[in-house]
Amino acid sequence: MGKLLFFEPALSGNGKRSCASCHRPEKAFTDHRGTSRALRFTANLTRNSPTLLASARQKTFFHDGRAANLGEVVRQVVENPQELGSSYAQLTGRLAESPAYRLAFRQALGTDITEASVNKALAAYVTSLISNNAAYDQARRGQQPLPTIALAGKRLFMGPAGCVGCHAAPDFRDGRRYLVRPGEWVKTPTLRNVALTPPYGANGQAATLLDVLGDAFHAAHRPRPLAPAEASQLLAFLAALTDTTSAEHRPPLALPALHSLPDRRVGGLY
């Protein structure tokens, strides 16, 4: 149920956007843009789109940690005029046009189409986006060792480079916020699948992971400077945190018919 809604443009005010507009499965549930596209096609949001992989295990959400649960995330995105630009009255009314949607909600959730049931279904889908099958996980389970360069990077990460202080396993984040520049506090992002999610930073300001390793914030929090060879080792370890989760989550082939939006596309137009 939640998967259908995730790719459903009827949740947006103009019927052309969906959750998948900014969180695309083939891009590890990001959009690879510096800052995500806004509801108005020619405008952008002010933040980079974070991955949704393993995101349900967080204690707070959004880059600034302003939401305490996934239901609140959905509400803020739905009602934000720059994101989905809709209301629960509008989207539930649209979905209720469809006998297939009404039946699906009753079968999946035992309820009618309401704000609460929409939020619950979407939260259930996001919660399912978890897979710990990266090379790092396989090595921990004794299935196969990390490559030599990645193992050297792991030792740096856990020791002299000090990365583990903010990026602890299993999700390689600490849930805390840090002052990244005057007046701007940002939550530590996960490093799982990080090689798949450029550009980086809450504002998409870093094009590559090497740029992140060399930025002023990380340099100030690192015990000592990194040698070029050490940076390569750390990058190899970060690549070892990549799994195939995003490739396993494909869009639905079709959506239930809606009289008010007969020509909408799975995932939206943009």
Side-chain angles (χ1 to χ4, degrees):
M1 188 72 260
K3 180 177 181 177
L4 278 178
L5 295 179
F6 190 86
F7 293 92
E8 177 55 83
L11 270 62
S12 65
N14 64 5
K16 298 178 181 179
R17 299 268 289 167
S18 73
C19 303
S21 294
C22 295
H23 300 284
R24 300 179 179 274
E26 71 274 17
K27 296 179 179 179
F29 288 88
T30 67
D31 58 9
H32 287 180
R33 294 175 59 86
T35 55
S36 295
R37 198 181 299 281
L39 184 66
R40 184 164 60 89
F41 183 79
T42 56
N44 290 327
L45 302 176
T46 60
R47 294 295 199 185
N48 177 265
S49 179
T51 182
L52 296 185
L53 298 175
S55 64
R57 297 192 289 217
Q58 299 175 97
K59 294 181 180 179
T60 61
F61 300 84
F62 293 116
H63 284 294
D64 57 7
R66 67 184 183 273
N69 56 66
L70 286 171
E72 179 61 19
V73 172
V74 175
R75 185 190 67 78
Q76 290 194 33
V77 172
V78 165
E79 296 179 346
N80 188 323
Q82 298 301 315
E83 296 190 58
L84 292 186
S86 187
S87 68
Y88 282 98
Q90 181 181 47
L91 72 87
T92 57
R94 283 174 172 171
L95 297 178
E97 297 173 11
S98 165
Y101 261 131
R102 295 197 301 271
L103 177 61
F105 267 83
R106 286 194 295 270
Q107 291 178 333
L109 299 166
T111 184
D112 294 328
I113 303 172
T114 65
E115 175 179 345
S117 60
V118 167
N119 290 356
K120 185 175 182 179
L122 282 167
Y125 177 63
V126 173
T127 300
S128 76
L129 304 178
I130 293 176
S131 176
N132 295 331
N133 197 38
Y136 165 83
D137 302 302
Q138 294 172 19
R140 281 181 57 84
R141 293 193 293 263
Q143 293 173 277
Q144 59 180 7
L146 286 174
T148 301
I149 188 172
L151 184 58
K154 177 185 175 183
R155 294 186 182 118
L156 270 173
F157 186 96
M158 302 297 182
C163 308
V164 72
C166 297
H167 296 282
D171 290 328
F172 296 89
R173 60 178 166 233
D174 60 4
R176 298 173 60 188
R177 296 191 311 153
Y178 293 87
L179 185 66
V180 295
R181 57 182 58 85
E184 184 178 6
W185 291 81
V186 174
K187 197 164 49 104
T188 305
T190 181
L191 296 184
R192 281 195 173 271
N193 298 291
V194 70
L196 303 178
T197 61
Y200 303 98
N203 304 312
Q205 67 271 21
T208 68
L209 285 172
L210 188 59
D211 292 335
V212 175
L213 292 179
D215 69 18
F217 175 82
H218 288 90
H221 286 77
R222 191 176 296 122
R224 61 169 175 78
L226 289 175
E230 291 177 322
S232 297
Q233 292 166 351
L234 280 175
L235 292 177
F237 176 63
L238 294 177
L241 300 180
T242 303
D243 61 31
T244 57
T245 303
S246 58
E248 298 167 359
H249 293 275
R250 304 183 186 279
L253 296 177
L255 297 169
L258 294 179
H259 295 303
S260 60
L261 294 170
D263 299 322
R264 75 197 194 286
R265 297 182 184 177
V266 174
L269 291 176
Y270 63 96

PDB file of all heavy atoms in Angstrom, residues 59-74:
ATOM      1  N   LYS A  59      16.131   8.688  14.950  1.00  0.00           N
ATOM      2  CA  LYS A  59      15.278   9.198  16.027  1.00  0.00           C
ATOM      3  C   LYS A  59      14.632  10.522  15.635  1.00  0.00           C
ATOM      4  O   LYS A  59      13.562  10.867  16.156  1.00  0.00           O
ATOM      5  CB  LYS A  59      16.097   9.377  17.298  1.00  0.00           C
ATOM      6  CG  LYS A  59      16.603   8.054  17.881  1.00  0.00           C
ATOM      7  CD  LYS A  59      17.381   8.274  19.162  1.00  0.00           C
ATOM      8  CE  LYS A  59      17.870   6.950  19.730  1.00  0.00           C
ATOM      9  NZ  LYS A  59      18.653   7.141  20.984  1.00  0.00           N
ATOM     10  N   THR A  60      15.263  11.270  14.743  1.00  0.00           N
ATOM     11  CA  THR A  60      14.686  12.494  14.207  1.00  0.00           C
ATOM     12  C   THR A  60      14.935  12.523  12.707  1.00  0.00           C
ATOM     13  O   THR A  60      15.811  11.809  12.199  1.00  0.00           O
ATOM     14  CB  THR A  60      15.298  13.757  14.850  1.00  0.00           C
ATOM     15  OG1 THR A  60      16.709  13.799  14.579  1.00  0.00           O
ATOM     16  CG2 THR A  60      15.064  13.773  16.361  1.00  0.00           C
ATOM     17  N   PHE A  61      14.189  13.385  11.995  1.00  0.00           N
ATOM     18  CA  PHE A  61      14.207  13.360  10.543  1.00  0.00           C
ATOM     19  C   PHE A  61      14.381  14.765   9.967  1.00  0.00           C
ATOM     20  O   PHE A  61      14.183  15.761  10.651  1.00  0.00           O
ATOM     21  CB  PHE A  61      12.918  12.730  10.019  1.00  0.00           C
ATOM     22  CG  PHE A  61      12.727  11.310  10.495  1.00  0.00           C
ATOM     23  CD1 PHE A  61      12.162  11.050  11.740  1.00  0.00           C
ATOM     24  CD2 PHE A  61      13.143  10.236   9.726  1.00  0.00           C
ATOM     25  CE1 PHE A  61      11.997   9.748  12.195  1.00  0.00           C
ATOM     26  CE2 PHE A  61      12.993   8.933  10.168  1.00  0.00           C
ATOM     27  CZ  PHE A  61      12.416   8.690  11.412  1.00  0.00           C
ATOM     28  N   PHE A  62      14.710  14.807   8.672  1.00  0.00           N
ATOM     29  CA  PHE A  62      15.128  15.996   7.939  1.00  0.00           C
ATOM     30  C   PHE A  62      16.561  16.351   8.353  1.00  0.00           C
ATOM     31  O   PHE A  62      17.057  15.906   9.389  1.00  0.00           O
ATOM     32  CB  PHE A  62      14.201  17.196   8.154  1.00  0.00           C
ATOM     33  CG  PHE A  62      12.820  17.016   7.576  1.00  0.00           C
ATOM     34  CD1 PHE A  62      11.707  16.977   8.409  1.00  0.00           C
ATOM     35  CD2 PHE A  62      12.621  16.919   6.207  1.00  0.00           C
ATOM     36  CE1 PHE A  62      10.433  16.820   7.890  1.00  0.00           C
ATOM     37  CE2 PHE A  62      11.345  16.770   5.683  1.00  0.00           C
ATOM     38  CZ  PHE A  62      10.243  16.716   6.524  1.00  0.00           C
ATOM     39  N   HIS A  63      17.214  17.153   7.533  1.00  0.00           N
ATOM     40  CA  HIS A  63      18.601  17.532   7.809  1.00  0.00           C
ATOM     41  C   HIS A  63      18.746  18.233   9.155  1.00  0.00           C
ATOM     42  O   HIS A  63      19.767  18.099   9.822  1.00  0.00           O
ATOM     43  CB  HIS A  63      19.134  18.449   6.698  1.00  0.00           C
ATOM     44  CG  HIS A  63      19.473  17.736   5.424  1.00  0.00           C
ATOM     45  ND1 HIS A  63      20.500  16.812   5.331  1.00  0.00           N
ATOM     46  CD2 HIS A  63      18.918  17.809   4.185  1.00  0.00           C
ATOM     47  CE1 HIS A  63      20.562  16.350   4.089  1.00  0.00           C
ATOM     48  NE2 HIS A  63      19.618  16.927   3.383  1.00  0.00           N
ATOM     49  N   ASP A  64      17.712  18.973   9.552  1.00  0.00           N
ATOM     50  CA  ASP A  64      17.803  19.701  10.818  1.00  0.00           C
ATOM     51  C   ASP A  64      17.157  18.965  11.984  1.00  0.00           C
ATOM     52  O   ASP A  64      17.110  19.485  13.101  1.00  0.00           O
ATOM     53  CB  ASP A  64      17.194  21.103  10.680  1.00  0.00           C
ATOM     54  CG  ASP A  64      15.736  21.064  10.209  1.00  0.00           C
ATOM     55  OD1 ASP A  64      15.162  19.963  10.109  1.00  0.00           O
ATOM     56  OD2 ASP A  64      15.182  22.149   9.931  1.00  0.00           O
ATOM     57  N   GLY A  65      16.641  17.755  11.735  1.00  0.00           N
ATOM     58  CA  GLY A  65      16.073  16.955  12.811  1.00  0.00           C
ATOM     59  C   GLY A  65      14.771  17.476  13.379  1.00  0.00           C
ATOM     60  O   GLY A  65      14.404  17.164  14.511  1.00  0.00           O
ATOM     61  N   ARG A  66      14.006  18.233  12.583  1.00  0.00           N
ATOM     62  CA  ARG A  66      12.818  18.889  13.131  1.00  0.00           C
ATOM     63  C   ARG A  66      11.607  17.971  13.283  1.00  0.00           C
ATOM     64  O   ARG A  66      10.636  18.332  13.944  1.00  0.00           O
ATOM     65  CB  ARG A  66      12.430  20.086  12.264  1.00  0.00           C
ATOM     66  CG  ARG A  66      11.951  19.747  10.862  1.00  0.00           C
ATOM     67  CD  ARG A  66      11.676  21.023  10.062  1.00  0.00           C
ATOM     68  NE  ARG A  66      11.159  20.763   8.732  1.00  0.00           N
ATOM     69  CZ  ARG A  66      11.909  20.546   7.666  1.00  0.00           C
ATOM     70  NH1 ARG A  66      13.235  20.541   7.790  1.00  0.00           N
ATOM     71  NH2 ARG A  66      11.359  20.329   6.484  1.00  0.00           N
ATOM     72  N   ALA A  67      11.614  16.796  12.656  1.00  0.00           N
ATOM     73  CA  ALA A  67      10.483  15.873  12.755  1.00  0.00           C
ATOM     74  C   ALA A  67      10.860  14.681  13.629  1.00  0.00           C
ATOM     75  O   ALA A  67      11.961  14.143  13.534  1.00  0.00           O
ATOM     76  CB  ALA A  67      10.056  15.387  11.378  1.00  0.00           C
ATOM     77  N   ALA A  68       9.917  14.261  14.469  1.00  0.00           N
ATOM     78  CA  ALA A  68      10.198  13.187  15.427  1.00  0.00           C
ATOM     79  C   ALA A  68       9.798  11.811  14.926  1.00  0.00           C
ATOM     80  O   ALA A  68      10.173  10.807  15.529  1.00  0.00           O
ATOM     81  CB  ALA A  68       9.484  13.479  16.749  1.00  0.00           C
ATOM     82  N   ASN A  69       9.029  11.732  13.828  1.00  0.00           N
ATOM     83  CA  ASN A  69       8.605  10.426  13.322  1.00  0.00           C
ATOM     84  C   ASN A  69       8.267  10.556  11.844  1.00  0.00           C
ATOM     85  O   ASN A  69       8.134  11.661  11.300  1.00  0.00           O
ATOM     86  CB  ASN A  69       7.411   9.894  14.119  1.00  0.00           C
ATOM     87  CG  ASN A  69       6.251  10.868  14.133  1.00  0.00           C
ATOM     88  OD1 ASN A  69       5.645  11.146  13.099  1.00  0.00           O
ATOM     89  ND2 ASN A  69       5.942  11.407  15.306  1.00  0.00           N
ATOM     90  N   LEU A  70       8.103   9.403  11.185  1.00  0.00           N
ATOM     91  CA  LEU A  70       7.867   9.407   9.743  1.00  0.00           C
ATOM     92  C   LEU A  70       6.513  10.004   9.375  1.00  0.00           C
ATOM     93  O   LEU A  70       6.369  10.618   8.317  1.00  0.00           O
ATOM     94  CB  LEU A  70       7.980   7.981   9.203  1.00  0.00           C
ATOM     95  CG  LEU A  70       9.400   7.422   9.103  1.00  0.00           C
ATOM     96  CD1 LEU A  70       9.369   5.935   8.776  1.00  0.00           C
ATOM     97  CD2 LEU A  70      10.195   8.181   8.040  1.00  0.00           C
ATOM     98  N   GLY A  71       5.511   9.840  10.232  1.00  0.00           N
ATOM     99  CA  GLY A  71       4.220  10.450   9.966  1.00  0.00           C
ATOM    100  C   GLY A  71       4.313  11.960   9.879  1.00  0.00           C
ATOM    101  O   GLY A  71       3.684  12.593   9.015  1.00  0.00           O
ATOM    102  N   GLU A  72       5.120  12.553  10.748  1.00  0.00           N
ATOM    103  CA  GLU A  72       5.321  13.988  10.714  1.00  0.00           C
ATOM    104  C   GLU A  72       6.088  14.397   9.456  1.00  0.00           C
ATOM    105  O   GLU A  72       5.828  15.467   8.874  1.00  0.00           O
ATOM    106  CB  GLU A  72       6.065  14.445  11.964  1.00  0.00           C
ATOM    107  CG  GLU A  72       6.368  15.931  12.034  1.00  0.00           C
ATOM    108  CD  GLU A  72       5.129  16.812  12.033  1.00  0.00           C
ATOM    109  OE1 GLU A  72       4.020  16.312  12.327  1.00  0.00           O
ATOM    110  OE2 GLU A  72       5.267  18.011  11.740  1.00  0.00           O
ATOM    111  N   VAL A  73       7.022  13.565   9.020  1.00  0.00           N
ATOM    112  CA  VAL A  73       7.736  13.838   7.772  1.00  0.00           C
ATOM    113  C   VAL A  73       6.740  13.904   6.609  1.00  0.00           C
ATOM    114  O   VAL A  73       6.759  14.849   5.805  1.00  0.00           O
ATOM    115  CB  VAL A  73       8.790  12.755   7.490  1.00  0.00           C
ATOM    116  CG1 VAL A  73       9.388  12.933   6.099  1.00  0.00           C
ATOM    117  CG2 VAL A  73       9.887  12.793   8.534  1.00  0.00           C
ATOM    118  N   VAL A  74       5.866  12.902   6.516  1.00  0.00           N
ATOM    119  CA  VAL A  74       4.891  12.872   5.428  1.00  0.00           C
ATOM    120  C   VAL A  74       4.021  14.122   5.476  1.00  0.00           C
ATOM    121  O   VAL A  74       3.786  14.773   4.449  1.00  0.00           O
ATOM    122  CB  VAL A  74       4.021  11.600   5.520  1.00  0.00           C
ATOM    123  CG1 VAL A  74       2.923  11.635   4.458  1.00  0.00           C
ATOM    124  CG2 VAL A  74       4.874  10.350   5.353  1.00  0.00           C
TER     125      VAL A  74
END
